[in-house]
Amino acid sequence: MSVNTPQHIAIIMDGNGRWAQLQGLKRVKGHEAGAEIVREITTYCSKHDDIEQLTLYAFSTENWKRPKLEVEFLMKLLERYLKNELDTYMGNNIRFNPIGDLSGFSRPLLTTIEMVQEKTRHNNGLVQNLALNYGSKDEIVRAVNKLVKENSEITEESLNSALDCSSSVDLLVRTGGDRRLSNYLLWQSAYAELFFINTLWPDFSTYELETIIHQFTTIERRFGGLKS
Ligand code: FPP
């Protein structure tokens, strides 16, 4: 393995709506175009031996505040995407792992989520964690409640393993120009390298991700220690 290659990449896929509006299209067209990039980036990561996990922010606990029609569109798009991409998951040995509070979703969508999760369960290449009805604060509260219910001691280790996602993030990318974490993987990103880029998500490319990964490899990560 090359030095400093990110094993866990997390992405906040922002800018779909603006991408569409800039072209005189409805916002939802941006989400459709964004779904294509999800496929491209996931496939790219699955072919990169050092990348073990890719965590994508598809729907946050706060996204329910959007207009009803946009939320409904996103739900349908997600269902369609998961069904259509089963071949991509299987053909590239990708394990699909939803994270977040899935209890918020409709039965048909849940059935599709569970179907893809089950069918890809034995794939042992890239893990694609799809954050669905995900919020970092919600994840931490659910994890703490789980430990309390089990009467388990709360330590960094026990809390970490009770989270939906227990793997620390090496590289976090946010597209769309904003420089904030928006309640995403706050615990897991304690020592992540953060890249905020202006590119709108539907314009993001494997080329740009490669450039970011290259920049990442040049960073000396000290994790609070001293220069080696
Ligand atoms: C942010 O763009 C994006 C989302 C809230 C949803 C992310 C969804 C996708 C990338 C497409 C669907 C995903 C899958 C897995 C099928 P925004 O709407 O906030 O853009 P804006 O900031 O320009 O308004």
Side-chain angles (χ1 to χ4, degrees), residues 7 32 52 58 65 82 97 112 133 146 151 186 212 220:
Q7 290 169 27
E32 239 167 37
E52 293 169 5
K65 294 182 207 152
L82 290 174
N97 180 46
T112 304
N133 193 23
K146 192 168 142 197
N151 228 352
L186 302 179
I212 292 171
E220 188 188 35

Side-chain angles (χ1 to χ4, degrees), residues 129-177:
N129 300 308
L130 204 57
L132 300 168
N133 193 23
Y134 176 88
S136 205
K137 290 182 177 180
D138 176 67
E139 179 193 32
I140 293 169
V141 170
R142 281 188 288 106
V144 171
N145 277 325
K146 192 168 142 197
L147 294 174
V148 168
K149 212 167 156 189
E150 289 168 357
N151 228 352
S152 301
E153 193 189 348
I154 296 175
T155 63
E156 273 195 28
E157 286 72 26
S158 69
L159 181 50
N160 191 59
S161 42
L163 293 170
D164 299 344
C165 175
S166 302
S167 144
S168 58
V169 171
D170 297 306
L171 167 62
L172 188 143
V173 179
R174 179 178 187 135
T175 63

Side-chain angles (χ1 to χ4, degrees), residues 71-88:
V71 171
E72 278 172 10
F73 184 92
L74 277 168
M75 296 298 136
K76 285 205 184 100
L77 178 63
L78 192 57
E79 197 175 342
R80 191 155 34 106
Y81 177 86
L82 290 174
K83 281 183 180 153
N84 288 346
E85 293 311 314
L86 192 52
D87 286 350
T88 307

Side-chain angles (χ1 to χ4, degrees), residues 13-19 21 27 30-32 34-35 38 56-60 63 66 70 74 77-78 81-82 128 130 132 176 178 200-201:
M13 311 181 287
D14 197 14
N16 292 347
R18 275 166 288 161
W19 179 89
Q21 281 164 336
R27 288 178 50 82
H31 295 314
E32 239 167 37
V38 171
L56 300 170
Y57 211 177
F59 195 85
S60 75
N63 283 152
R66 293 189 174 212
E70 183 168 336
L74 277 168
L77 178 63
L78 192 57
Y81 177 86
L82 290 174
Q128 185 210 51
L130 204 57
L132 300 168
D178 287 330
L200 303 174
W201 176 250

